[in-house]
Amino acid sequence: MSRWEVKIAGFGGQGIILAGYLLGKAAAVYDRRHATMVQSYGPEARGSACASQVIIADEPISYPYVTEPDVLIAMSQEAYTRFAAEVKPGGLLLIERDLVALDMMRSDLARPGEDGVRLHALPATKIAEELGHRIVANIVMLGFLCALAPIVSLSGMKEALRSSLPKSAIELNLMAFEAGYARGLQVGYNLAGNPSQRKEGV
Amino acid sequence: MKRGPAVLTGVHFFNGDVACAEGALAAGCRFFAGYPITPATEIAERMAERLPEVGGTFIQMEDEIASLSAVLGASWAGVKAMTATSGPGFSLMMENLGFGYMTETPCVIVNVQRGGPSTGLPTLVGQGDMLQARWGSHGDYETIVLAPSSAQEMFDLTIAAFNLSEKYRLPVLLLSDAIIGHITERVIIPPEEEIPIVNRKTFRGPREAYLPYLPDEDLVPPMVAAGEGYRVYITGLTHDERGYPSTSPEVQERLVCRLVEKIRRNKHDIIRLEECGIEDAEVVLVAYGVSARVAYRAMELARAAGHRVGWLRLITVWPFPEERLRDLATRVRAFIVPELNLGQIVREVERCAEGRTRTIPVLRPGGAVHAPRELLTSIEEAFHD
Amino acid sequence: MTEAQHPLDHLLRADRLPHIWCPGCGIGIAMRCLVLALEELGRPLDRVVVVSGIGCSARVAGYVRLDGFHTTHGRAIPFATGLKLAKPDLTVIVFSGDGDLAAIGGNHLIHAARRNLDLTVICVNNFIYGMTGGQFGPTTPLSARSTTTPYGNFEPPFNLPALVAASGAVYVARWTVFHVRRLITAFQEAIAKRGFSFVEVLSPCPTGYLRRNKLGEALEMMRYFKARSEIRHGADPAEAGIEMGGKLLLGKFVDIQRPTYHERMREQLARSFIEPYAEKVSEEIKAEEVES
């Protein structure tokens, strides 16, 4: 039994909501678990701060907001600055390397100790661009996450991608996912189970 | 593109608005008129895509007044019809809502509530329209208001709303909120044959024998549609059994009392509640919509801390479940009522408590839900005072 | 003993008499022209629906022995839109007044014309709010007195034919209740017309408008309608503005073809759907399409 709280944050146009949706769909539809996804965004369609919050659990989820994320994906400096401190000890903090300035990072995050937050910087946008389009940076990040933490099944994640995207976009997105996943495997560990096994946040 | 099935049987990851649209289609809704408004727009978008697939009609009207007008017209053409909106549009619908009650026109109106008043907080949650839903149109009437708490319930209760509107011949309101409209969750759509569907009572006798407003024993008159040869006259004026306008106080009393009575008399059929931990509870959280989910979490926390706390969720908000609340008021120390408004349903709870138990409001005017910790504080206070 | 039957009794709800209209009011004439037009037109009357809003003219929906819907103020057109869309084989006629259709319902009027949904709108224009006792409205001529323009009206009125023509109506005509034969023909043409048709019917309101403006009895207005009318079919509706005591431009101003709402909808959806969209359309309409 495990429970995961994931926050994905960045700005409008980065596919933040889609990333949360895909993660939740993989869990809810293909892994047959409970999942909720709530989103927040500014009034602008593009460029404003944007976040999706995903909770995945074996039991029904009452309070749908993430209070102490097991995972934070920060795709922008603002996302990092606002949310980095929330990550649970032992949790994962994944950042878009080229959009979050290293010298502005929390100094206590990079330590790999048992209680520390595990920080990984990935040039997801650059990887996406090399694959053909920066628009799939969110999917690169999802692949990276899935290699590091067993939140959803690999097959469920791929099914969610295939069933949610327009046909013409599936191949590129699967490639992006694989690319991120491969980078994640290179990190060399996988958080088996929930890192903290804490109860639902308050 | 091919024709799609009306009932998308299977497991889905839908947001509440999409689930609502799918519930409408499953209930047999084949007409939608609406006007874009955050956070209800996704319902219109889904209906625009799906209705043509199932042989229904979608139209985007020039405003919300026109939207509800068209829905009422479609219902009188014999088609199940719905509109969806949020606060500002809901305000515009109030007059035609009254026309719907007066003429006994089945239809469903969804209000995905956002923070108000006025334009307020278009993208953020609110529960400030709960009393407007009950009292917003002028004059005396009774209504049915359902409050979903999940994407699954956006599906289930939209079907329930259609069934109740067809059964009792009135507009039924689904009062959702921005979080439940946008929360994306697992939604299970059962096979079509497992979904109970209620259709309006119709009259099929000779034209001379038909009185449009002569009720059956259940106080609901059978209905006909335009174009069926019954040559009905339907008016928002006070009308007699023939449907003819009348200025007689007796006709007014007969009509308006029946409109009210047909709901009050059938409240046991209409009212739905969900309860948890009530048996040994000393304090009961009374909530609805998204607030009920926060309250549930608060109850879990309170129980973990050793407090005997129960949880009562209003699925039907109107008619208000007075009997249950009155009963509980005699045996609990306090009701705690969290709402995303500055005190609406808590007034009803307080009325039912009749001074026999404390009623503690935990209120905020929308924008965000309570933190479970906030409710926990109120619970602890209720035990200490 | 049988009471004498009026030849139009089968089209009117005689059990609702007496009607509410004042002596000299022109609405009854317009209503009679409508039922005569319907009788001659030969459409199945069980399929004809009259929808109205609020006001003196709106009471027509309750006097004709047809399906009648007396809806909320200004909302006859959107209600009719829902009826027609949900049951396209109905003949839907909106019969209401100028205040109802052009003031509180003005937005619906122009949007219905834009959509070109197959509706017929009959607008009785008596230049005033009659039922509430004579307040100025969107068609009240400049300088006219009303209870709310006690010093004379200084708001320019709408020229309704120009308004609906500019909005996209495919049939636009104006007559007066003096011109009953023309009016019957216009109603027939408007109902037969596929798309949004509009007939403005100028009519005296002796109580609310004539008396306050010292324009005499209703008969005086009828004489005025006769004397100052200029019938010019095909005239530019922009010239059809009305001034107090001025000439009245009458006629059929617009009679054009333009795809209706349903035609465009079916055509557009057919591009996306393998099967035809409009499965609910009755045999009648399908037959019409084959003919045309």
Side-chain angles (χ1 to χ4, degrees):
Chain A
M1 214 170 72
S2 68
R3 177 189 173 90
W4 290 91
E5 298 194 2
V6 180
K7 187 177 272 190
I8 307 171
F11 42 83
Q14 281 184 316
I16 300 297
I17 307 296
L18 178 64
Y21 172 83
L22 291 168
L23 198 61
K25 185 175 187 180
V29 177
Y30 300 105
D31 294 349
R32 298 295 168 113
R33 302 177 66 200
H34 289 276
T36 59
M37 196 271 285
V38 292
Q39 49 196 297
S40 55
Y41 45 82
E44 308 91 344
R46 293 284 177 273
S48 67
C50 167
S52 68
Q53 305 184 30
V54 183
I55 299 177
I56 293 167
D58 293 320
E59 335 69 50
I61 299 149
S62 54
Y63 185 65
Y65 285 92
V66 169
T67 42
E68 265 191 314
D70 300 290
V71 177
L72 171 67
I73 298 179
M75 298 288 283
S76 72
Q77 187 68 48
E78 187 190 346
Y80 171 82
T81 310
R82 279 182 66 189
F83 302 124
E86 294 177 358
V87 183
K88 272 180 197 172
L92 273 177
L93 171 50
L94 311 183
I95 60 166
E96 161 52 73
R97 191 195 70 187
D98 297 329
L99 292 172
V100 180
L102 284 165
D103 57 351
M104 290 173 72
M105 284 183 193
R106 257 172 64 181
S107 58
D108 60 323
L109 288 177
R111 60 200 160 85
E114 279 309 302
D115 293 312
V117 169
R118 294 163 193 266
L119 170 78
H120 299 283
L122 183 73
T125 308
K126 189 158 167 274
I127 294 169
E129 278 168 352
E130 283 164 9
L131 289 169
H133 206 301
R134 62 187 308 158
I135 202 161
V136 293
N138 57 343
I139 308 299
V140 173
M141 266 303 185
L142 272 186
F144 192 57
L145 169 64
C146 287
L148 294 176
I151 299 175
V152 293
S153 71
L154 203 55
S155 61
M157 198 62 229
K158 287 182 182 174
E159 271 311 305
L161 275 166
R162 284 194 197 96
S163 64
S164 308
L165 299 167
K167 265 201 183 102
S168 58
I170 291 173
E171 199 190 332
L172 175 64
N173 278 275
L174 283 173
M175 277 165 55
F177 183 83
E178 294 291 357
Y181 192 79
R183 294 295 285 263
L185 292 179
Q186 287 168 16
V187 173
Y189 73 84
N190 183 301
L191 294 176
N194 189 318
S196 54
Q197 290 296 340
R198 284 224 210 144
K199 286 192 175 170
E200 189 172 356
V202 179
Chain B
M1 198 187 290
K2 272 189 182 173
R3 296 260 178 156
V7 182
L8 294 185
T9 301
V11 182
H12 305 273
F13 195 56
F14 281 158
N15 75 30
D17 283 352
V18 170
C20 171
E22 290 301 333
L25 295 169
C29 173
R30 292 296 178 271
F31 183 89
F32 183 98
Y35 187 83
I37 186 166
T38 305
T41 304
E42 290 91 336
I43 300 174
E45 289 173 339
R46 184 74 174 190
M47 291 305 254
E49 187 185 338
R50 290 275 284 134
L51 273 170
E53 290 182 350
V54 301
T57 306
F58 168 90
I59 186 167
Q60 184 168 307
M61 295 299 286
E62 52 273 16
D63 59 31
E64 287 90 346
I65 302 174
S67 300
L68 184 50
S69 300
V71 161
L72 295 165
S75 183
W76 276 103
V79 174
K80 291 186 188 180
M82 179 171 95
T83 186
T85 188
S86 189
F90 195 54
S91 291
L92 286 181
M93 290 180 183
M94 285 300 127
E95 188 194 8
N96 273 326
L97 196 53
F99 184 78
Y101 295 121
M102 191 62 150
T103 56
E104 300 180 69
T105 308
C107 63
V108 172
I109 296 141
V110 183
N111 176 357
V112 186
Q113 295 173 95
R114 60 195 223 184
S118 190
T119 312
L121 297 166
T123 59
L124 298 178
V125 69
Q127 293 178 325
D129 311 343
M130 302 308 295
L131 291 186
Q132 184 185 23
R134 173 63 186 85
W135 305 104
S137 197
H138 54 278
D140 286 300
Y141 59 91
E142 276 282 348
T143 185
I144 298 175
V145 175
L146 307 178
S149 280
S150 63
Q152 180 70 51
E153 271 196 342
M154 285 291 273
F155 178 85
D156 297 339
L157 294 188
T158 301
I159 296 172
F162 269 101
N163 287 345
L164 289 166
S165 83
E166 293 283 319
K167 185 171 183 182
Y168 296 110
R169 272 192 69 178
L170 79 168
V172 172
L173 311 178
L174 191 75
L175 269 271
S176 183
D177 58 66
I179 293 174
I180 300 304
H182 280 166
I183 194 169
T184 309
E185 294 184 290
R186 187 166 74 182
V187 173
I188 298 171
I189 298 183
E192 190 169 354
E193 60 275 14
E194 289 173 22
I195 298 172
I197 299 296
V198 178
N199 294 316
R200 64 191 71 171
K201 269 190 303 192
T202 52
F203 184 83
R204 287 290 168 263
R207 184 202 293 185
E208 310 75 58
Y210 183 55
L211 291 170
Y213 288 101
L214 182 69
D216 289 342
E217 232 162 69
D218 61 358
L219 300 185
V220 181
M223 197 170 170
V224 298
E228 291 180 338
Y230 287 94
R231 311 271 184 105
V232 291
Y233 175 49
I234 305 302
T235 176
L237 287 165
T238 293
H239 46 268
D240 60 21
E241 284 71 16
R242 296 171 299 175
Y244 287 1
S246 168
T247 50
S248 136
E250 291 76 35
V251 172
Q252 165 79 354
E253 185 162 344
R254 201 158 70 228
L255 173 64
V256 179
C257 290
R258 180 176 64 74
L259 295 181
V260 165
E261 231 7 72
K262 74 176 176 182
I263 302 306
R264 289 187 184 165
R265 194 190 282 183
N266 292 299
K267 63 186 176 198
H268 294 295
D269 178 50
I270 297 165
I271 291 173
R272 298 188 195 190
L273 301 171
E274 186 183 3
E275 297 179 350
C276 183
I278 296 283
E279 303 72 30
D280 66 341
E282 292 176 65
V283 169
V284 173
L285 288 151
V286 180
Y288 55 91
V290 69
S291 297
R293 292 174 76 135
V294 183
Y296 190 90
R297 180 75 195 120
M299 175 194 66
E300 288 179 335
L301 295 170
R303 289 229 162 225
H307 299 303
R308 286 200 248 165
V309 174
W311 174 82
L312 186 150
R313 180 166 74 90
L314 307 172
I315 298 171
T316 310
V317 177
W318 303 106
F320 193 74
E322 296 171 354
E323 286 171 26
R324 183 60 177 149
L325 270 291
R326 286 205 172 107
D327 167 47
L328 288 175
T330 61
R331 49 197 186 87
V332 301
R333 292 168 66 160
F335 291 127
I336 296 178
V337 187
E339 289 189 87
L340 302 180
N341 57 53
L342 295 185
Q344 297 196 5
I345 296 304
V346 67
R347 290 164 173 266
E348 287 297 307
V349 176
E350 201 164 26
R351 187 173 63 81
C352 294
E354 290 174 321
R356 285 175 295 190
T357 188
R358 288 177 65 203
T359 303
I360 304 169
V362 190
L363 308 173
R364 50 163 61 187
V369 292
H370 296 89
R373 178 71 64 191
E374 254 180 287
L375 302 190
L376 191 61
T377 307
S378 297
I379 292 167
E380 280 163 355
E381 281 167 15
F383 276 99
H384 290 138
D385 289 351
Chain C
M1 199 179 86
T2 52
E3 279 183 53
Q5 292 279 307
H6 187 277
L8 290 176
D9 267 4
H10 67 290
L11 279 164
L12 295 171
R13 296 183 191 271
D15 54 349
R16 289 215 53 217
L17 290 172
H19 57 67
I20 64 156
W21 299 314
C22 305
C25 174
I27 298 168
I29 301 172
M31 177 174 76
R32 188 183 151 123
C33 290
L34 173 64
V35 293
L36 285 170
L38 283 169
E39 199 174 39
E40 288 177 21
L41 205 58
R43 290 219 172 179
L45 293 173
D46 281 347
R47 298 251 162 205
V48 177
V49 185
V50 177
V51 184
S52 68
I54 296 296
C56 296
S57 305
R59 292 305 185 98
V60 163
Y63 294 137
V64 292
R65 194 177 288 283
L66 299 165
D67 280 325
F69 293 91
H70 181 218
T71 70
T72 47
H73 198 14
R75 318 306 168 196
I77 289 176
F79 187 95
T81 299
L83 266 177
K84 180 71 183 177
L85 286 175
K87 211 167 185 174
D89 59 341
L90 295 176
T91 296
V92 182
I93 300 164
V94 171
F95 194 114
S96 219
D98 52 299
D100 185 68
L101 289 166
I104 189 168
N107 197 32
H108 310 310
L109 177 68
I110 58 173
H111 283 279
R114 172 179 66 80
R115 289 188 189 103
N116 200 26
L117 184 65
D118 187 16
L119 299 174
T120 298
V121 175
I122 295 167
C123 176
V124 175
N125 178 2
N126 57 11
F127 308 104
I128 204 84
Y129 282 99
M131 185 162 270
T132 46
Q135 297 74 36
F136 83 103
T139 56
T140 306
L142 280 169
S143 83
R145 296 198 184 243
S146 74
T147 61
T148 48
T149 53
Y151 310 108
N153 175 34
F154 48 86
E155 284 193 16
F158 266 140
N159 167 350
L160 292 178
L163 177 70
V164 292
S167 304
V170 291
Y171 182 97
V172 181
R174 174 198 276 162
W175 297 101
T176 80
V177 291
F178 176 78
H179 301 84
V180 289
R181 282 311 313 173
R182 310 269 199 172
L183 201 49
I184 293 167
T185 308
F187 287 164
Q188 288 173 340
E189 288 178 353
I191 292 164
K193 187 80 187 177
R194 291 173 66 188
F196 186 86
S197 53
F198 181 85
V199 182
E200 182 183 20
V201 186
L202 305 182
S203 175
C205 176
T207 314
Y209 183 66
L210 301 184
R211 191 168 49 94
R212 189 160 285 105
N213 285 287
K214 301 190 168 54
L215 293 172
E217 301 291 318
L219 196 58
E220 294 302 314
M221 188 75 157
M222 294 298 254
R223 288 197 180 110
Y224 166 63
F225 285 163
K226 184 185 177 192
R228 299 303 310 273
S229 288
E230 181 190 338
I231 298 170
R232 192 144 47 95
H233 295 300
D236 181 355
E239 296 172 26
I242 294 175
E243 290 173 8
M244 268 197 93
K247 82 168 176 23
L248 304 167
L249 190 58
L250 307 182
K252 178 164 67 175
F253 304 131
V254 178
D255 190 357
I256 56 170
Q257 290 295 333
R258 183 163 87 84
T260 66
Y261 181 91
H262 273 107
E263 286 161 357
R264 283 195 194 278
M265 178 176 74
R266 284 175 204 138
E267 189 197 327
Q268 190 66 36
L269 290 174
R271 292 181 196 163
S272 297
F273 287 86
I274 295 163
E275 299 159 74
Y277 164 67
E279 67 172 15
K280 288 200 307 192
V281 175
S282 74
E283 297 306 312
E284 274 171 64
I285 285 203
K286 279 182 198 152
E288 272 179 44
E289 276 171 356
V290 172
E291 283 164 31
S292 58

